[in-house]
């Protein structure tokens, strides 16, 4: 045990955490299924999940069945329900599209946005937290107050405001232009709004590290600041960032779903689990599966991420270790 | 000869007596009907309030439907069902005047003794002040419909000092009001028959009254209004029936209009009898349910409206007529109808005018077998036109609003455009801004989803208002010619039809039919369908009466 470094100890502990491992397996399966979405759509469902199919039909039990079915009274047209077969396994949405295929495609976008936003959030949080905590003085005051201002906004209000503006016109930062329909818009927005949630604890940790003996010793020896940051400070905050990663990813996934449900996240015909719930909102009375299926997918993923996050925290967070030792 | 005269006189007397008896019987029946059914509270519900309750400012179906029971103009549309509701009948005026001076002068004689709900008597001064106020409050159509009144130009330039001198002249002694127009206007009476031209007390403040009720002459008066919760209208204590066609006495004692109830909850509440009628369209997933479980409470009526996708003819790719034609040939109007709720709720349409509208002649070139009706999309022709256009691969954004079926129509249209070879996406905007956004040329909107409901039954309300060069205002949010179509030859035909309408409406309608074909052939819109109105009422509602102009007439309805 003594020969192993803290990373090896942490990973070993994580591997022993059954709940975290089950969660990891669930997540891997979820990601694998979503990555295989094109194969499923092309070879199993045999459908284009982005094309409306309002006038089409499929063969069920040897009979041609309309995908959009008129009611007996002639009022209202209801999409076909779950067939539990290869085609339209979970039924169709209000455009006559295969819900199962869209669920997998939507999962790709939801997972991509959640992980992309998490990376942006952690990177920005690490940068601002470390710079503020290590530099101190005016730089710290400015960054800390800026984080306070960002923190003071209700996160959904801020995300909705940014989305409403950027979804209309896109984003231009110098020579870089992000199209209004690009997934980079929700990724950036969600990544930015949660920066204070991570940056503030990182800053606190760095403030403490900056006054620690080993950093003071390095300074006294004339070690350059960048080297102290790189060799002494960053490794110490990395575990905190790792602990935050799955938890932030879960939070980001919920935020993406909320924004997409409000039509200000992923833009149609692209899909995410949030947009599929929105598609299903108008079918709750007749085809509840359209809204419930992505809801269940979100729930499973978020619960798995939370279990994994707990496991990672238990394995890598020094305070968790201290608590265990103390008990 | 004398004997014959005597016989004729006798026949005349008998005829008059018979008419009097018949009239008396009808009146007695009406009175009996009224006694049997009057009373109670009509409970209406909507997802949101309709904004200001100033009748000279508000331009929503939601409140026009109510205003016709609260306010009167000199003339109004007949409060009747079906086609009869398109007739203009005298209201505060005793009769429809014969136009004088080649159609440029109208002299209205006011009925005597009509009172506002505050007890004041209606006078010619109120009429003059009401038309001045129409400009002072910046009525949405002051610059179009009413700009033809003499003196309107000065009122439009400086609204605060508007007098309409020489344009609207009241004569208190004779009880008349004279209108002088700059040029003849065949639609002037229609424009006087809508709630904008309501006659209000002369002392009404010259600004938007917002949530403060303005006294009117109708059967009801608004007594309270909170846009967050409720509007209440009660009987006008000074109201007496002067014309059943113009302003009958309402059956119910009170009309309560509740807000902030979603369409889904509203439908459930009407099913349970908590409300009597919902303003918002029934959600698509409830249509089968209500039509199966409550068939006697469902009413379907034709609407004079179209759902369409205007294509901007001034920017790529739809500045290319082949691209516009391709969209029209490819458009599966049955699919669009299905999105709206099925064949009982909408009719496929290829042209600008809706079925049943003056000037409408069935015409559909954009179908598998061109003729008068749409049968199926012609994808082969559409793909050939796309190849010819050279526009394949072009980025296209469809702008739709977030209400009702519009997002679904937008998604369908984007899917269709992708099938044609465009790189299309749909952009959903809040309904609060989408309609203005798609009108502004600065936004460079390529194609959008929108709809147009008639203001009054004249073909110009579609063909002139929506497609003439004069309806383009670059950079403005009020540039209603969304496609930006400007064709001098087309405008000349529109002007000729309007000129003919002054003297010969039937001949004008034939001209309008030709104009409609021209606009349809230019493919500036991809017209999808003409909707039908589904009204779902509670079990206790009786005497449902649907007007083409104002839809369900609240004053005709009774509750048990």
């Amino acid at each position: 045990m003594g020969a192993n470094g803290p990373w090896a100890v942490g990973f070993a502990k994580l591997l022993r955490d059954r709940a975290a491992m089950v969660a990891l397996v669930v997540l891997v399966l979820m990601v694998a299924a979503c990555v295989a979405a094109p194969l499923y759509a092309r070879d199993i469902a045999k459908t284009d999940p982005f094309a409306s199919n309002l006038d089409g039909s499929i063969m069920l039990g040897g009979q041609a069945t309309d995908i959009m079915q008129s009611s007996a009274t002639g009022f209202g047209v209801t999409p076909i329900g779950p067939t539990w077969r290869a085609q339209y396994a979970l039924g169709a949405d209000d455009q006559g599209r295969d819900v199962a295929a869209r669920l997998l495609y939507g999962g790709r976008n939801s997972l991509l946005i959640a992980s992309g936003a998490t990376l942006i959030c952690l990177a920005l949080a690490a940068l601002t937290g470390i710079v503020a905590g290590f530099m101190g003085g005016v730089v710290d005051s400015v960054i800390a107050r800026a984080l306070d201002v960002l923190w003071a906004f209700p996160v959904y209000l801020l995300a909705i405001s940014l989305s409403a503006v950027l979804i209309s016109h896109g984003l231009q930062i110098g020579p870089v232009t992000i199209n209004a329909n690009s997934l980079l818009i929700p990724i950036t927005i969600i990544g930015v709004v949660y920066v204070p949630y991570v940056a503030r604890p990182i800053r606190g940790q760095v403030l403490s590290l900056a006054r620690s003996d080993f950093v003071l010793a390095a300074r006294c020896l004339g070690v350059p600041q960048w080297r102290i940051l790189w060799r002494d400070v960053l490794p110490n905050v990395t575990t905190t960032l790792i602990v935050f990663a799955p938890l932030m990813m879960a939070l980001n996934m919920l935020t993406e779903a909320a924004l997409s449900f409000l039509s200000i996240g992923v833009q149609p015909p692209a899909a995410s689990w949030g947009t599929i719930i929105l598609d299903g909102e108008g079918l709750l009375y007749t085809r509840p599966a359209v809204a419930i299926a992505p809801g269940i997918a979100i729930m499973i993923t978020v619960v798995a991420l939370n279990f994994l996050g707990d496991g990672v925290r238990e394995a890598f967070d020094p305070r968790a270790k201290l608590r265990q030792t103390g008990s | 000869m004398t004997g014959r005269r005597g016989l004729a006189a006798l026949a005349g007397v008998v005829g008059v007596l018979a008419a009097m008896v018949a009239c008396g019987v009808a009146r007695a029946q009406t009175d009996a009907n009224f006694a049997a059914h009057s009373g109670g509270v009509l409970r209406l519900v909507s997802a949101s309030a309709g904004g200001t309750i100033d009748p000279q400012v508000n331009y929503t179906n939601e409140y026009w439907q109510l205003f016709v029971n609260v306010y009167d103009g000199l003339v109004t549309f007949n409060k009747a069902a079906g086609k009869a509701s398109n007739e203009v009948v005298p209201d505060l005026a005793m009769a429809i005047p014969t136009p004088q001076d080649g159609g440029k002068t109208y002299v209205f004689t006011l009925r005597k003794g009509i009172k506002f709900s505050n007890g004041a008597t209606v006078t010619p001064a109120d009429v003059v002040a009401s038309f001045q106020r129409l400009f002072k409050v910046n009525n949405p159509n002051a610059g179009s419909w009413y700009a033809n009144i003499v003196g309107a130009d000065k009122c439009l330039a400086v609204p605060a000092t508007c007098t309409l001198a020489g344009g609207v002249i009241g004569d208190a002694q004779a009880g008349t009001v004279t209108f002088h127009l700059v040029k003849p206007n065949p639609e002037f009476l229609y424009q006087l028959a809508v709630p904008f031209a309501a006659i209000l007390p002369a002392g009404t403040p010259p600004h938007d009254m917002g949530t403060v009720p303005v006294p009117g002459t109708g059967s009801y008066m608004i007594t309270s209004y909170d846009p967050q919760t409720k509007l209440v209208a009660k009987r006008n204590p000074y109201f007496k029936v002067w014309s059943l066609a113009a302003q009958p006495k309402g059956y119910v004692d009170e009309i309560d209009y509740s807000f902030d109830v979603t369409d889904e909850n509203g439908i459930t509440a009407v099913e349970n009898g908590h409300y009597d009628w919902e303003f918002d369209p029934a959600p698509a997933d409830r249509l089968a349910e209500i039509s199966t479980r409550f068939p006697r409470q469902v009413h379907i009526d034709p609407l004079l409206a179209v759902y369409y996708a205007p294509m901007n003819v001034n920017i790529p790719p739809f500045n290319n007529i082949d691209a516009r034609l391709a969209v029209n040939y490819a458009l599966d109007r049955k699919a669009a109808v299905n999105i709206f709720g099925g064949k009982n709720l909408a009719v496929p349409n290829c042209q600008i005018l809706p079925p049943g509208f003056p000037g409408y002649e069935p015409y559909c070139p954009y179908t598998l077998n061109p003729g008068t009706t749409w049968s199926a999309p012609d994808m082969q022709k559409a793909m050939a036109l796309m190849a010819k256009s050279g526009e394949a691969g072009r980025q296209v954004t469809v702008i739709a609003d977030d209400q009702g079926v519009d997002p679904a129509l937008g998604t369908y249209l984007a899917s269709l455009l992708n099938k044609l070879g465009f790189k299309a996406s749909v952009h959903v905007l809040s309904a609060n801004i989408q309609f203005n956004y798609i009108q502004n040329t600065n936004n460079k909107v390529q194609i959008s989803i929108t709809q147009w409901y008639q203001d009054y039954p004249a073909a110009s309300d579609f063909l002139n208002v929506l497609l003439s060069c004069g309806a383009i205002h670059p950079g403005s949010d009020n540039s209603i010619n969304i496609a930006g179509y400007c064709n001098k030859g087309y405008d000349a035909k529109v002007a000729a039809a309007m000129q003919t309408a002054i003297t010969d409406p039937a001949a004008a309608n034939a001209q309008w039919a030709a104009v409609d074909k021209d606009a349809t052939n230019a493919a500036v819109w991809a017209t999808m369908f003409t909707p039908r109105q589904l009204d779902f009422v509670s079990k206790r509602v009786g005497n449902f009466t649907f007007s083409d102009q104002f839809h369900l007439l609240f004053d005709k309805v009774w509750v048990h």
Side-chain angles (χ1 to χ4, degrees), chain A residues 137-164:
Chain A
V138 178
V139 174
D140 179 36
S141 297
V142 170
I143 293 176
R145 294 299 80 76
L147 291 173
D148 286 345
V149 169
L150 203 57
W151 178 275
F153 277 98
V155 67
Y156 275 95
L157 182 64
L158 183 61
I160 288 168
S161 307
L162 288 171
S163 297

Side-chain angles (χ1 to χ4, degrees), chain A residues 213-247:
Chain A
D213 291 344
F214 65 94
V215 170
L216 288 174
R219 278 181 166 158
C220 290
L221 289 170
V223 178
Q225 286 203 345
W226 67 266
R227 193 177 166 83
I228 296 172
L229 276 173
W230 185 252
R231 296 294 299 272
D232 299 319
V233 177
L234 191 59
N236 278 290
V237 297
T238 304
T239 49
T240 308
L241 293 172
I242 289 173
V243 168
F244 264 112
L247 301 173

Side-chain angles (χ1 to χ4, degrees), chain B residues 188-390:
Chain B
F188 184 57
L189 289 177
Y190 291 142
Q191 291 158 357
L192 293 187
V194 298
F196 284 157
I199 305 306
L200 309 176
T204 306
H207 58 76
D208 180 358
M209 295 296 284
T211 58
V212 178
V214 181
T217 49
S219 177
Y220 296 94
M221 60 180 187
I222 297 172
T223 54
S224 67
Y225 177 47
D226 176 359
Q228 303 298 323
T229 55
K230 199 175 192 180
L231 179 151
V232 176
K234 294 184 177 175
R235 288 196 185 280
N236 172 0
Y238 295 96
F239 176 77
K240 288 187 177 61
V241 177
W242 60 82
S243 163
L244 285 174
Q247 191 64 271
K249 188 174 184 180
Y251 282 100
V252 297
D253 289 338
E254 184 175 318
I255 300 172
D256 287 1
Y257 214 140
S258 298
F259 308 120
D260 207 19
V261 177
T262 64
D263 51 2
E264 291 278 4
N265 291 342
I267 285 292
T268 306
V270 174
E271 283 180 355
N272 295 334
H274 297 141
Y275 292 111
D276 296 312
W277 175 84
E278 182 180 36
F279 170 76
D280 304 287
D285 63 337
R286 307 295 296 277
L287 293 173
E289 171 198 344
I290 59 174
S291 60
T292 308
R293 289 181 56 203
F294 310 96
R296 291 184 180 177
Q297 293 164 237
V298 173
H299 300 267
I300 305 293
D301 290 282
L303 286 172
L304 300 173
V306 287
Y307 271 66
Y308 66 103
M311 292 178 271
N312 192 330
V313 301
N314 298 311
I315 57 173
F318 300 119
N319 56 352
N320 185 327
I321 190 169
D322 289 326
R324 302 200 302 268
L325 287 169
V327 174
N328 265 292
Y329 278 107
L331 183 62
D332 186 347
R333 290 166 171 87
K334 185 183 167 196
V337 164
N338 275 349
I339 289 174
F340 193 74
K343 61 187 178 185
N344 284 353
L345 289 180
V347 184
N349 187 13
C350 300
Q351 58 199 99
I352 310 296
L353 293 177
F357 209 65
Y360 173 81
E361 280 179 16
Y363 177 59
C364 186
Y366 306 121
T367 177
L368 205 53
N369 300 301
T372 55
T373 54
W374 183 86
S375 57
D378 189 340
M379 278 311 289
Q380 203 176 354
K381 200 162 190 174
M383 294 311 286
L385 283 160
M386 270 307 289
K388 187 180 162 200
S389 75

Side-chain angles (χ1 to χ4, degrees), chain A residues 230-287:
Chain A
W230 185 252
R231 296 294 299 272
D232 299 319
V233 177
L234 191 59
N236 278 290
V237 297
T238 304
T239 49
T240 308
L241 293 172
I242 289 173
V243 168
F244 264 112
L247 301 173
M248 291 311 297
M249 192 165 163
L251 204 55
N252 291 343
M253 181 162 282
L254 291 173
T255 309
E256 181 281 322
L259 292 180
S260 294
F261 180 75
L262 295 171
S263 301
I264 48 178
V266 173
Q267 294 298 296
S272 77
W273 287 336
T275 63
I276 300 172
I277 293 176
L278 177 62
D279 294 341
E281 189 198 14
L283 298 168
L284 278 176
Y285 278 79
T286 48
R287 294 288 176 248

